[in-house]
Amino acid sequence: MTSNDRRQSIEASGDRAIAAQHIGIASSGDHAHIEQHVHHWPDSALHPDAEIAPGVDNIPWADPRHPFVGREEALARLTAEARADHDGPTVQTIRGLAGVGKSTLALHHAHRHRDQYMLRWWITADSPASVASGLADLAFRLNPAFSTTVRSEDATHWAINWLSAQPDWLLVLDNVEDPAHIRPLLRQSMTGHVLVTTRRDLDRPDSGLCLDLLDDAHSAEVLTALTGHSEAAAELAHELGHLPLALQQAGAYVVQTRGTLSGYLERLRTDPGPLHATVPEGGDPERAVARIWHHTLQAVEERDPWAVQFLRIIAYFAPDDIPRDIIRDEELDPVDVDRALSLLSSYSLITLTPDTVSIHRLLQSVLRAGSSQEADAVRVFATPEDKARADSKLPWRRRQVRRATVRAGAEMRAAGHVLTHFLPVEDAGDPMRWPRWRALLPHAEALFAQAREDQWLLFPELLTATCTHLMSQGLDARARPYAEMLLKASERLYGPDHLPPHLAPVLNLLAMIHRNLGDYPRANELAQRALALCDGQDERMWAETSGALTALATTYRNLGRFEDALRLDWRSVQISLARSGYTPFTSVSLSNLGLSLRGLGRYEEALKVAEQALEISRETLPADHVTNLTNLNNLTIALLDLERHEEAERAGLHALEAAERILDQDHPHLSVALSNLAVVHTRSGRHEEALPIAERAVLLSVRTLGPDHPITLTNVHNLAGIRSELTPGL
């Protein structure tokens, strides 16, 4: 026996004898059995208070190809708060929208300050199991012997004890889904630094570091740095909503496909779905923009399905400033609605204020792309009678072509229903309704922009009301595409030669728009079609008939055909009086009749009709209704034609005062009252007084309507007349 190989012989004899050098537990006998469970820390195990060599970490690699811009201020704030004095562990939270760069910020903090920590450990903390597994991995890294001798659960507890006993470490808990998953860990007495990234509001909305989107300049800088191209960088960055992950993926896609930023932008606008689901070659498919939001939406839907349905509806609105009071559901209690909105806000899917809701434009695009794949087919006819009429007038084979099968998701229809319900569509031109229209008009126009040609008839009432409101603002050029798309969709449904009578108002509306824009031949054509639809119909369509007569008469006046206009206006007045009596409708018909009489030089008759129109509108409408303003302007000109200057000046001053009270200071129709008053002054020989008023009218109409609009041309003509009176010979 040597010192390195000592051997000792021990013998036992006899039945069932035992021989042993050291006895722990032994059993003998015919049926002896021992079951033993041993919890054994290996001799090499570290005690929780044992120190380790610095440099232990599992921090992910920071890809140098991804430019880190626009986050220096956030990084500096993170560092400053980490260095502040704390009684317990330093726990910091970075929260924000999925893809906004929370993990990237935590990663750069960990790398920049690696020398300040003896240990840096990264845990994907999206579930309790992930947190426990990450802590167990820490224990196994600190003591490899644990991997074969200690259960994972015990290793997790050992790691927590070790963190409680040691200072100067950084623990990153990435992508925390629920505060309850990490609360037991944070309750421990620790002196290290815990950095939490999450899409959720884990505490108050103002707690932690809320990471916002990149600004315009930094977004464009990211794309330029990734691709080496600056052309269309700013425009693409805006389309991507300045979301860092989307910018990185777009840049990588352009580089790998040897494409251009403008080409990517074009594809994004025409077919965004595939691009949202694409990651660069070699990238993690789970990091695709559509995928990371899909995970978030799944988590929300498990808690509240209505919340996700609400998101899919507002995906068709403008992204910002959605009025909160339209977010209602007859089947849900308001408390449940508030709870759903709070849930969405806690996942950073919406920005919530007491009055509004906002959503990221790229999230909207992802939601719309998903909805379009689930679209269901619906047939749109105004009434069953309209369908039968359209079918009966078209040969069988053409019926198969003309019938419009509108592919539309339920969410788009719901968005249109919400806006139609909460917008004052019945009197869209009433100034009392304008504040509501200002709040919801951007969302109506966003909805129209998303609709395909075969979906325009999903919301005809909303389209018509929007056009009417835009016309009341003098924005006829902006209204024209919506009226055109509504007519085009109707012609596809019924055939251009078989439009039903209920579409006469659409033709009238479009005729008035073209008339206001100075396209009198097109206006005349549309107005004639509208009147042809109404002629021969029963008395229930008297309003449509009167409106068609008025629209056609207006175009005749603009073409100088005053006799033809007078005949139609007089017929419109008779229908209005017979069917509605002295109502606002009759007031409008009378006002137009007065304009035709004036065109024929029948000034005394024109004045009487203008006075009657104003009297009726004042009796039947609120004082600040625009119809009163229109009638006041017409009365001013009628008085001026008869050289009743003092009365014309009083009427003109009242009209201007009403216009400034009713209309915005930038409303183009304010220029009409200004120009009329300037003409009154110059007819009275007060040219110096008239000049600045006329100049103001021209500047206002040029700025709001453009130099070629008929109202602008009239204002310029009036200004030229005043200047010629001041400087004869020019």
Side-chain angles (χ1 to χ4, degrees):
M1 181 176 65
T2 67
S3 59
N4 294 325
D5 186 18
R6 292 181 295 176
R7 297 181 182 178
Q8 184 175 2
S9 177
I10 301 174
E11 296 181 359
S13 61
D15 292 340
R16 301 173 181 167
I18 298 175
Q21 184 176 9
H22 300 287
I23 297 179
I25 299 176
S27 176
S28 66
D30 292 336
H31 305 287
H33 174 75
I34 296 174
E35 182 174 316
Q36 182 180 15
H37 298 275
V38 179
H39 180 80
H40 175 65
W41 295 100
D43 292 339
S44 59
L46 291 172
H47 294 290
D49 59 353
E51 296 183 358
I52 64 167
V56 175
D57 75 66
N58 71 337
I59 300 298
W61 177 58
D63 193 338
R65 295 172 298 179
H66 294 167
F68 186 72
V69 297
R71 298 304 194 201
E72 292 297 338
E73 184 177 342
L75 191 59
R77 176 182 166 185
L78 201 64
T79 301
E81 292 180 358
R83 291 173 177 169
D85 292 334
H86 297 276
D87 295 335
T90 300
V91 180
Q92 293 179 283
T93 301
I94 307 172
R95 60 185 177 87
L97 184 68
V100 81
K102 304 178 296 294
S103 300
T104 300
L105 184 63
L107 187 63
H108 278 267
H109 173 82
H111 282 297
R112 287 202 185 184
H113 303 285
R114 64 171 63 88
D115 296 337
Q116 298 176 16
Y117 303 108
M118 69 173 182
L119 176 141
R120 301 175 301 152
W121 200 252
W122 188 287
I123 296 176
T124 299
D126 54 1
S127 68
S130 298
V131 175
S133 176
L135 290 169
D137 288 342
L138 172 60
F140 297 146
R141 172 69 70 85
L142 294 176
N143 192 342
F146 280 179
S147 60
T148 57
T149 58
V150 176
R151 295 182 306 168
S152 293
E153 181 182 353
D154 294 327
T156 297
H157 289 304
W158 185 93
I160 293 174
N161 291 334
W162 187 91
L163 291 170
S164 300
Q166 300 294 332
D168 302 329
W169 45 260
L170 171 66
L171 179 64
V172 179
L173 300 176
D174 187 41
N175 196 28
V176 173
E177 284 289 321
D178 191 319
H181 297 170
I182 62 172
R183 192 171 292 129
L185 175 61
L186 299 183
R187 284 175 178 167
Q188 302 299 316
S189 177
M190 298 179 182
T191 57
H193 181 191
V194 180
L195 189 54
V196 177
T197 75
T198 180
R199 294 168 286 183
R200 305 289 308 277
D201 285 343
L202 300 183
D203 198 354
R204 303 185 315 274
D206 60 346
S207 65
L209 174 60
C210 181
L211 201 58
D212 206 348
L213 301 166
L214 293 175
D215 59 29
D216 295 358
H218 286 121
S219 295
E221 184 181 344
V222 169
L223 289 173
T224 301
L226 287 168
T227 64
H229 303 298
S230 59
E231 183 181 358
E235 196 174 359
L236 176 56
H238 175 76
E239 194 74 18
L240 293 170
H242 309 290
L243 186 72
L245 179 63
L247 296 169
Q248 291 176 6
Q249 292 183 357
Y253 183 92
V254 168
V255 170
Q256 290 181 358
T257 60
R258 304 299 189 269
T260 63
L261 296 178
S262 58
Y264 189 96
L265 176 62
E266 183 179 355
R267 282 197 58 191
L268 187 65
R269 287 173 171 170
T270 56
D271 189 19
L275 292 180
H276 295 328
T278 300
V279 294
E281 187 70 27
D284 181 1
E286 293 297 311
R287 293 297 294 165
V289 169
R291 191 67 179 164
I292 62 170
W293 274 331
H294 174 71
H295 291 318
T296 305
L297 293 171
Q298 276 188 321
V300 172
E301 193 164 26
E302 290 174 1
R303 292 168 169 80
D304 190 338
W306 183 87
V308 175
Q309 181 64 19
F310 163 72
L311 276 185
R312 296 189 184 280
I313 292 173
I314 66 171
Y316 292 94
F317 292 176
D320 299 318
D321 299 326
I322 301 168
R324 190 164 169 172
D325 63 353
I326 72 169
I327 303 164
R328 302 175 189 169
D329 190 299
E330 295 177 357
E331 298 180 359
L332 291 178
D333 186 273
V335 174
D336 294 329
V337 173
D338 287 341
R339 187 179 297 114
L341 294 178
S342 177
L343 176 64
L344 292 169
S345 178
S346 78
Y347 273 93
S348 301
L349 290 170
I350 61 173
T351 300
L352 194 61
T353 75
D355 301 317
T356 64
V357 174
S358 298
I359 179 174
H360 192 274
R361 65 173 60 250
L362 201 58
L363 176 55
Q364 287 182 303
S365 181
V366 169
L367 289 165
R368 290 194 301 265
S371 295
S372 66
Q373 296 172 1
E374 303 167 0
D376 59 307
V378 295
R379 296 186 184 275
V380 178
F381 289 92
T383 65
E385 292 77 13
D386 292 333
K387 177 183 182 298
R389 186 183 298 109
D391 287 350
S392 65
K393 291 185 177 181
L394 293 173
W396 184 86
R397 290 185 181 276
R398 293 181 63 202
R399 283 207 304 269
Q400 306 308 308
V401 178
R402 298 299 189 186
R403 284 177 178 175
T405 300
V406 181
R407 302 286 301 179
E411 293 83 9
M412 177 177 281
R413 294 199 302 275
H417 173 76
V418 167
L419 291 172
T420 303
H421 182 71
F422 287 101
L423 269 170
V425 296
E426 293 298 328
D427 196 357
D430 184 355
M432 300 299 292
R433 315 282 187 166
W434 289 353
R436 190 59 163 170
W437 271 99
R438 288 192 194 98
L440 291 179
L441 180 60
H443 306 296
E445 293 192 297
L447 173 64
F448 301 154
Q450 300 304 324
R452 300 189 307 268
E453 184 176 326
D454 58 353
Q455 296 170 328
W456 292 338
L457 287 178
L458 290 173
F459 17 77
E461 186 180 7
L462 181 61
L463 275 165
T464 302
T466 300
C467 291
T468 302
H469 174 72
L470 290 171
M471 290 172 64
S472 76
Q473 305 298 302
L475 302 174
D476 301 275
R478 194 161 144 193
R480 180 172 56 188
Y482 303 139
E484 294 279 12
M485 72 169 62
L486 185 54
L487 177 60
K488 185 176 181 181
S490 301
E491 289 177 336
R492 284 192 59 188
L493 176 61
Y494 298 102
D497 299 326
H498 301 286
L499 292 180
H502 78 264
L503 289 176
V506 176
L507 292 166
N508 286 335
L509 184 69
L510 194 53
M512 297 302 288
I513 290 172
H514 281 282
R515 189 268 297 180
N516 292 342
L517 293 174
D519 187 355
Y520 303 129
R522 173 68 171 154
N524 186 51
E525 172 199 342
L526 291 163
Q528 297 237 22
R529 287 182 66 187
L531 186 57
L533 289 183
C534 296
D535 275 343
Q537 299 301 315
D538 58 37
E539 294 181 353
R540 289 177 299 177
M541 291 199 63
W542 70 267
E544 289 83 355
T545 302
S546 181
L549 289 165
T550 297
L552 184 56
T554 301
T555 63
Y556 281 163
R557 278 196 301 276
N558 291 118
L559 292 169
R561 297 170 57 179
F562 295 108
E563 289 286 357
D564 293 331
L566 181 65
R567 186 179 67 255
L568 296 177
D569 280 326
W570 180 240
R571 184 181 167 195
S572 175
V573 169
Q574 289 178 313
I575 291 174
S576 300
L577 283 171
R579 303 303 174 196
S580 67
Y582 291 95
T583 64
F585 208 101
T586 303
S587 170
V588 172
S589 297
L590 282 168
S591 186
N592 285 300
L593 175 63
L595 295 176
S596 294
L597 290 168
R598 178 174 180 264
L600 291 169
R602 298 162 61 174
Y603 300 129
E604 291 287 352
E605 295 173 83
L607 176 60
K608 290 180 181 179
V609 170
E611 290 173 334
Q612 188 178 12
L614 180 59
E615 182 182 356
I616 293 174
S617 66
R618 280 177 167 172
E619 289 179 354
T620 58
L621 290 170
D624 284 345
H625 199 280
V626 288
T627 299
N628 289 325
L629 174 59
T630 299
N631 291 340
L632 261 175
N633 280 322
N634 290 343
L635 177 63
T636 301
I637 299 302
L639 289 166
L640 196 59
D641 288 334
L642 294 170
E643 298 186 358
R644 295 165 61 171
H645 296 144
E646 290 185 6
E647 295 172 83
E649 183 175 355
R650 284 196 298 271
L653 287 171
H654 287 157
L656 179 58
E657 185 272 332
E660 290 180 325
R661 183 180 66 252
I662 297 171
L663 307 176
D664 294 332
Q665 290 303 304
D666 286 335
H667 197 293
H669 290 173
L670 176 60
S671 73
V672 175
L674 287 165
S675 190
N676 286 345
L677 183 60
V679 172
V680 170
H681 287 332
T682 196
R683 293 280 185 88
S684 302
R686 296 152 60 185
H687 309 307
E688 295 285 353
E689 191 174 347
L691 182 61
I693 300 175
E695 289 175 336
R696 181 185 168 195
V698 170
L699 289 173
L700 176 57
S701 61
V702 168
R703 184 174 70 251
T704 57
L705 298 174
D708 298 324
H709 194 278
I711 290 178
T712 301
L713 296 176
T714 299
N715 293 343
V716 169
H717 173 77
N718 291 340
L719 176 60
I722 294 170
R723 285 176 172 168
S724 67
E725 293 289 341
L726 286 170
T727 55
L730 288 182

